[in-house]
């Protein structure tokens, strides 16, 4: 199966700590890398995971708090020193693009690649990336400042040819693609072989939603309905629900509730408060209690299969 | 003896690597901390060394290359989250101050402390910090862009009172300070007790010069003449002298030559190229061959006594 996974590079909140780095993760989709958020130190975490800068050409920023983007100047400068070519697109709110551009125009003026700024408007729902097999779309999150989530959706895959039946009906190779896409096969004598006789079901297409940082909200559950895997911030445990609300964050139980209402199969929780110095098991237990068993505690270097 | 030491937080060049962090160090002088350069990750290195943000109120930036200052936004934001009060002064070239200010005004708008920008002019020689026991002054370095070094000088210390002689002459406590500063003591009957009879020599005052990044230059040796300890960049070994010159850097032998001509007692070399993946012993050997034995290879976490 083609690779579709997320690699956690940072899952702490606010500042780097002894346990965690600030927010950053990479979606690895069939050898293309997509970075989501870029806290300070992202470039070091990226290289520690053995990832190649040349495969990274889109960076999606959720909101304009420093712990989600202070790694950008260093990452982009290092990519230029590594002579990455082509274009790198930063999906970001307008003020962030302006501030970043002012730094990059000065500190990275001889950049080896073009930096393209894709301006996201607050509250916008839009497909911000599309290729032949994947889309990335935005949806609103609810934080202390404008914040956007991202949904990665594999496009429908091709059906599998039944080799024996294709040979039996002498289907020419030139027709394989259209049949894999679902077409029937019409023989020269006019006989129609229905697609179902020639193919089996395509592999399922998978999807992944990134939700950090956000208040607990049913609107998020609605927006990510049907997504297979959800990353949702779980900054606090339920005993701190008031603080979570006050600071525009969620508890682990709330994260699980959103994922459950969305019908997700798998939940990854992250963006942990620094207070959990001995580990986030309390958050895992809380989320499992609401969601079921398929809850994963984010950690730097963790790779989660999205297929 | 009062503490006067330098703590290396980063001594690599250009980008973070598996071996080294970008440029950053802290001078710890009698419980005040002075940061020199602030590469990405400086805040993490700072905390790893158990240093307190509340003790840091001056940051000296040598030049406007990213590997010497991309750690500033994160460091300053984290200091604000830690509710550091008062003022933090950034000594920096004008364009750097403007770019940093634009980010801090946006990302750290509710800062717990005031950020003061002390503008250094290229080529300037000036005392940029002074208190009762220390001065910090700038002097020019010679890099691809305007670059400044910093010299930390302890002011002359007080002479030591001879307790027995002070008692013998019935010197009142109110006169101790002036006598420690070198005054004679005039008794009520007009007899003068010379200072030498009442005191012994003050402890020597020490000094430290920071020289990174720079071409090999006799002018640097002249400017830091008489300094006790020199930190000098040694990006390359002598086989790469042409590359060093081309990129505005120095070899280890050149660093040692500058320190020797300055009459320094101790040399710390750093700002190592990433090519020395198996260690910088070649640089140490080269510098020792020129300077003598008192050469220290910088490393993250290393503390060098400056007294």
């Amino acid at each position: 199966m083609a690779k579709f996974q997320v690699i956690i590079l940072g899952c702490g909140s606010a500042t780097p700590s002894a346990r965690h780095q600030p927010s950053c993760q990479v979606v690895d989709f069939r050898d293309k890398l997509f970075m989501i958020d870029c806290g300070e130190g992202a470039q070091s975490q990226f290289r520690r995971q053995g990832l190649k800068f040349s495969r990274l050409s889109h960076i999606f920023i959720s909101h304009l708090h420093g712990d989600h983007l202070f790694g950008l100047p260093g990452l982009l400068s290092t990519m230029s020193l590594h002579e990455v070519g082509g274009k790198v697109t930063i999906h970001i709110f307008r003020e962030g693009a302006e501030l970043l551009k002012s730094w990059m125009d000065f500190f990275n003026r001889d950049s080896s690649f073009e930096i393209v700024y894709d301006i996201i408007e607050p509250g916008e729902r839009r497909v911000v990336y599309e290729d032949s097999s994947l889309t990335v779309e935005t949806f609103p999150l609810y934080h202390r400042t404008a914040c956007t989530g991202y949904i990665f959706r594999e496009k429908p895959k091709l059906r599998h040819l039944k080799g024996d039946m294709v040979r039996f009906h002498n289907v020419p190779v030139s027709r394989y693609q259209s049949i894999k896409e679902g077409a029937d096969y019409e023989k020269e004598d006019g006989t129609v072989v229905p697609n179902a006789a020639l193919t089996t079901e395509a592999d399922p297409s998978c999807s992944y939603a990134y939700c950090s940082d956000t208040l607990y909200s049913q609107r998020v559950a609605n927006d990510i309905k049907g997504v297979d895997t959800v990353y949702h911030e779980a900054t606090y445990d339920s005993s701190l629900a008031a603080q979570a609300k006050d600071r525009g964050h969620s508890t682990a139980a709330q994260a699980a509730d959103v994922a459950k209402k969305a019908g997700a199969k798998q939940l990854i929780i992250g963006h942990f408060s620094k207070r959990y110095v001995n580990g986030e098991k309390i958050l895992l237990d809380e989320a499992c209690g609401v969601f079921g068993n398929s809850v994963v505690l984010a950690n730097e270097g963790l790779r989660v299969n999205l297929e």
Side-chain angles (χ1 to χ4, degrees), chain A:
Chain A
M1 247 183 167
K3 186 155 63 172
F4 187 17
Q5 65 175 12
V6 61
I7 306 162
I8 306 296
L9 300 187
C11 58
S13 65
T15 68
S17 71
R19 284 186 64 79
H20 294 299
Q21 295 296 307
S23 291
C24 182
Q25 50 184 256
V26 167
V27 172
D28 185 347
F29 183 77
R30 304 187 196 175
D31 286 332
K32 286 181 184 162
L33 301 180
F34 302 89
M35 184 177 280
I36 316 174
D37 284 335
C38 186
E40 183 176 352
Q43 61 166 316
S44 297
Q45 294 291 109
F46 187 91
R47 295 178 75 182
R48 200 165 290 145
Q49 292 305 315
L51 303 173
K52 298 269 182 245
F53 290 129
S54 56
R55 292 172 54 203
L56 175 64
S57 57
H58 285 266
I59 303 172
F60 304 88
I61 302 297
S62 66
H63 66 294
L64 306 184
H65 282 164
D67 57 323
H68 292 254
L69 55 72
F70 280 167
L72 282 169
L75 173 73
L76 296 169
S77 298
T78 294
M79 287 175 70
S80 183
L81 285 171
H82 282 248
E83 297 180 354
V84 168
K87 292 196 293 193
V88 174
T89 303
I90 320 279
H91 306 269
I92 189 167
F93 292 125
R94 188 174 308 278
E95 279 178 296
E98 287 165 2
L99 289 164
L100 182 61
K101 186 171 187 311
S102 68
W103 273 45
M104 292 297 96
D105 286 351
F106 184 85
F107 292 114
N108 196 23
R109 68 190 76 162
D110 301 318
S111 181
S112 64
F113 53 88
E114 182 189 356
I115 302 177
V116 177
Y117 298 91
D118 174 33
I119 304 300
I120 297 173
E121 300 296 339
E124 188 179 26
R125 286 181 178 78
R126 175 167 63 91
V127 172
V128 292
Y129 174 84
E130 180 165 18
D131 65 23
S132 60
S133 45
L134 182 76
T135 59
V136 183
E137 65 196 67
T138 58
F139 64 97
L141 295 174
Y142 307 95
H143 192 41
R144 301 194 306 274
T145 183
C147 191
T148 185
Y150 293 97
I151 302 175
F152 288 69
R153 292 187 201 276
E154 269 187 303
K155 288 185 175 177
K157 294 177 183 168
L158 296 177
R159 297 177 67 84
H160 297 283
L161 294 178
K162 297 179 184 170
D164 51 352
M165 295 306 287
V166 163
R167 281 190 296 277
F168 177 78
H169 290 292
N170 278 317
V171 179
V173 173
S174 63
R175 302 296 306 280
Y176 284 5
Q177 181 66 21
S178 67
I179 291 169
K180 285 191 207 174
E181 288 169 358
D184 297 333
Y185 173 53
E186 191 177 343
K187 294 188 174 182
E188 285 186 4
D189 65 4
T191 323
V192 171
V193 185
N195 187 278
L198 295 168
T199 65
T200 56
E201 282 292 313
D203 294 324
S205 292
C206 298
S207 51
Y208 173 63
Y210 176 85
C211 315
S212 180
D213 303 8
T214 189
L215 277 170
Y216 174 52
S217 172
Q218 301 300 317
R219 292 171 291 179
V220 173
N222 289 339
D223 275 327
I224 64 173
K225 199 118 199 153
V227 160
D228 297 293
T229 302
V230 172
Y231 174 94
H232 197 292
E233 71 132 293
T235 309
Y236 300 108
D237 66 86
S238 289
S239 73
L240 296 163
Q243 183 163 327
K245 189 172 179 184
D246 183 51
R247 299 187 180 182
H249 289 301
S250 301
T251 67
Q254 291 169 340
D257 185 68
V258 167
K260 188 177 183 180
K261 291 206 167 93
K265 303 187 184 90
Q266 184 173 230
L267 169 64
I268 308 167
I269 55 172
H271 199 266
F272 307 126
S273 162
K274 250 158 286 302
R275 72 183 55 235
Y276 305 106
V277 289
N278 296 315
E280 297 84 10
K281 188 171 179 300
I282 183 176
L283 302 178
L284 179 64
D285 290 346
E286 195 173 298
C288 283
V290 174
F291 183 68
N293 282 323
S294 310
V295 181
V296 180
L297 209 53
N299 204 7
E300 283 71 13
L302 180 79
R303 292 171 186 236
V304 180
N305 194 357
L306 301 175
E307 291 183 304

